[in-house]
Amino acid sequence: MSKKKIVIVGGVAGGASAAARARRLSEDAEIILFERGPYISFANCGLPYHIGGEIKDRDRLLVQTPESMEGRFNIDVRINSEVIKIDIENKLIEINNKARNEVYSESYDALVLSPGASAIRPPIPGIDNERIFTLRNIPDMDQINGFIAEQEVRCAVVVGGGYIGLEMVEALRNRKIEVTVVELAEQVMGPVDPEMATLLHQELRMHGVDLRLGVSVVGFDAQDNGLSITLSNDDNVLSDMVILAIGVRPENSLAKAAGLKIGELGGIVVNQHMLTSDKNIYAVGDAIEVEEFVSGKSALIPLAGPANRQGRIAADNIFGRDSVYNATQGTGICKVFNQTVGMTGLNEKLLKRFEIAYEKIYVHPAQHAGYYPGSTPISFKLLFAPESGKILGAQAVGANGVDKRIDVLAMAIRAGQTVYDLEEAELSYAPPYGSAKDVVNYAGFVASNVLKGDMGICHVDEVLNIDGSKQILVDVRTSLEFEMGSIPGSINVPVDLLRLHLADLPRDRELLVYCRVGLRGYIASRILQQHGFNVRNLSGGYTTYKMVVDDASLEWVQSMCSDTGEISCAGDIPNDVAVHIDACGVQCPGPIQKLKQALDELEHGEMLSIATSDPGFVNDAPAWCKTTGHEFIEMVVQDGSYITTIRKNSGLGDKSNAKFTNVAAKQAMTIVLFSGDFDKAMAAFIIANGAATMGYEVTIFSTFWGLNVLRKHSPIKVQKNLIEKMMGKMMPRGANKVALSKMHMLGMGTKMIKGIMKKKQVASLPDLIADAKEAGVKLVGCSMTMDMMGIRQEELLDGVEKGGVAMYLNKAGEGSLNLFI
């Protein structure tokens, strides 16, 4: 067998792997590696971490140097040498030696192309400004580092919210640089679905990042000491520098000029042996189109792991080994400050685009045993075939343990497994590392329950478009959880009391139940299903609902934590904190309950801190302080936990601290409508409408007899017991039926006053109520009184919400006027 001459164009992952593998297979082969830059093999995924300071030693990024490659593998490495032409017919390449500025030719028996991909620089006016950078290699990294140091950069704009963009955001924030992210999509991290990205948006905002989603850059204008960036919504952002992280495109110019086949997506077309359309030329890495594993469709998936394997496979086939590449799953992971996002397989967006049938479930369990310190939640989304249960994709976001779960799912997809296999997966367990029922098992149990028909599920889009005539939302969490936030239109029946209230629930409508994360909803759905109800459980519960609808989830935190709206990302608990509570691993409402118990033991003015692992507490803590009048001091993000410091104030509504006062001093009024008398109800709604016209935010909280004013005039068919039916008949139904408090005279007095009102053109009570609703007055029915008096939500006027004392106190604390009528 004659000695083979192998020429490799490009180093880094694919090319360097091909060269090393080729040498291991043959000591006789002549192997030449050409690299147009000075570095043949470097950790390009580590570049942002050197800029951010996590990787201190720059040389640690150099995986192989030309000298080490030549010494260990006897490979002829030629750096600063750009291959500019391929002569397929004569099996020759032309090389431009940039150091000597000369062009020469080299023959080959087998050619491996690993040119990589180039950063996209769209034709935007001003794009060539020296303050605009991309990050693909070591020289790019050195240029960015040098510019930051020399120019004393204070603020930067990152265009693009993918892997490199998010890693650069963290790197820049670690260097105390203010960062604005501009992303054309409505989410960062495109490989995951929008609701999963919401958790990343929260994490970014918590670290002071200004997110501009759904907009693009339309122009860069040079200023005396920076850049003015014009966005597609006409906003302008001033910046010292810009990092372009829009994405990459395959470097196909060399292959295209040689006549090799290029795919529809712009990548070099190869078969499973990494062979191009020419029998002597192979291609690997970011420059090629691959088959996506789940769908079988062509894709561009520029990842280092696949590139390494492709280089190895190309070398195998050059030396006669029948080695094949079995598609790319797109398994990836990214660190975003204290959160990690991981994914494998197809996301929901692509499944829809490819018209592949699928079902999905969400779970939000802890990453290890909740009783072991440091437990944090993982939000996990599983996509699977609705008939067979075959796994199609998975996504996860959490502080810890995401990599382990995504890697397990990546192997499951590769093996063609189903959700039933996840039930049976035997994974390592000890309290510091996992749970006896791992996140993976948990997802398998839930998905299997769906396929077996043990639980019907619904999703947030259905809840948002609920048909009130055919469906009803039932929140089965505790009353405290319900008062802290619920899906509009829900009724609250805690799961532990559900069996006592079966007669109160309608059987002529579908029940959509939900809890915090789905577990109690599952228990409730099993109870209801076995009692003959038509019921489905909201997958992932209220947590998933908030992920979908509440992307602006840091409104309270940003307004209260600091002048810049930033939560501290590191730091110690203040020295004068009297008590520290560890609530990590405790699920809502546990942290709030622990917080209240501890505050009850403190003196006025003393502080406590509470550490939690639930990202939902980021919103709960400030909202609870807002309601109770205690002072929200700060929130520190530390090792994946949220450490909140709160100062006790004496009594509800204490507005002594400036941060609370600034929020609470808005014009707001609360009216408690206790009376069901016609004249008192008139007064309440006249005052409410007048206040609304003056810009007040008005809430009318109707309780006891005041509820009758908000009842519908026509009887509504609902299931009631005998006592409730009797009370319903004895009480007036709606604004037209309530009577005067004085001089009623068996109805004559009320008729007389209504006649005078009509003559004097005074609006009727029903008209005043309609005007109030149109003016934005919030109408709330007391949930406790409704339960006592047997009044159902559907008997009240449309738009009336159901709430309890916590809602009332929250609203009362927001304003300076509170009337009791």
Side-chain angles (χ1 to χ4, degrees), residues 91 123 161 234 422 452 459 466 574-575 671 704 784 796:
K91 294 174 40 176
D234 294 328
L422 300 186
K452 293 171 185 174
H459 298 294
I466 189 169
N575 293 328
I671 298 174
F704 281 92
M784 179 200 70
L796 300 181

Side-chain angles (χ1 to χ4, degrees), residues 60-80:
R60 291 180 67 85
L61 297 174
L62 303 177
V63 179
Q64 288 280 3
T65 65
E67 294 75 21
S68 65
M69 199 80 172
E70 290 172 355
R72 176 167 295 181
F73 295 103
N74 188 27
I75 291 169
D76 182 358
V77 178
R78 305 182 190 180
I79 59 173
N80 297 313

Side-chain angles (χ1 to χ4, degrees), residues 550-581:
D550 199 16
D551 196 15
S553 57
L554 284 178
E555 174 188 354
W556 253 99
V557 173
Q558 289 179 324
S559 66
M560 294 185 71
C561 281
S562 68
D563 293 336
T564 61
E566 177 185 352
I567 299 178
S568 173
C569 355
D572 299 320
I573 299 168
N575 293 328
D576 50 351
V577 164
V579 176
H580 177 67
I581 307 164

Side-chain angles (χ1 to χ4, degrees), residues 219-296:
F220 298 100
D221 296 307
Q223 305 291 311
D224 291 341
N225 56 350
L227 283 171
S228 174
I229 297 104
T230 304
L231 306 182
S232 56
N233 62 357
D234 294 328
D235 282 354
N236 281 87
V237 180
L238 297 176
S239 180
D240 295 327
M241 69 182 300
V242 172
I243 306 293
L244 287 180
I246 299 171
V248 296
R249 60 167 56 95
E251 187 62 77
N252 64 13
S253 55
L254 187 64
K256 198 172 186 179
L260 297 178
K261 186 177 180 180
I262 305 298
E264 292 183 3
L265 302 177
I268 302 170
V269 173
V270 296
N271 64 16
Q272 285 189 305
H273 298 91
M274 311 316 299
L275 196 62
T276 68
S277 53
D278 183 87
K279 63 181 181 179
N280 299 304
I281 302 177
Y282 298 79
V284 300
D286 296 354
I288 69 169
E289 287 188 13
V290 296
E291 176 189 337
E292 194 283 315
F293 185 83
V294 176
S295 67

Side-chain angles (χ1 to χ4, degrees), residues 767-821:
D767 287 340
L768 286 173
I769 295 173
D771 291 342
K773 289 168 64 177
E774 187 159 344
V777 174
K778 192 181 188 74
L779 302 180
V780 181
C782 173
S783 55
M784 179 200 70
T785 310
M786 289 172 64
D787 189 50
M788 287 175 54
M789 299 172 72
I791 297 176
R792 303 289 184 264
Q793 176 86 40
E794 48 267 41
E795 293 182 270
L796 300 181
L797 297 173
D798 294 337
V800 176
E801 297 182 24
K802 189 176 177 183
V805 67
M807 175 185 282
Y808 160 66
L809 292 173
N810 187 7
K811 289 297 178 184
E814 288 181 345
S816 55
L817 288 175
N818 185 35
L819 303 180
F820 194 96
I821 299 176

Side-chain angles (χ1 to χ4, degrees), residues 26 81 184 216 281 396 524 552 582 646 673 736:
S26 173
S81 298
L184 178 60
S216 60
I281 302 177
D582 184 1
I646 294 170
L673 182 56
N736 284 324

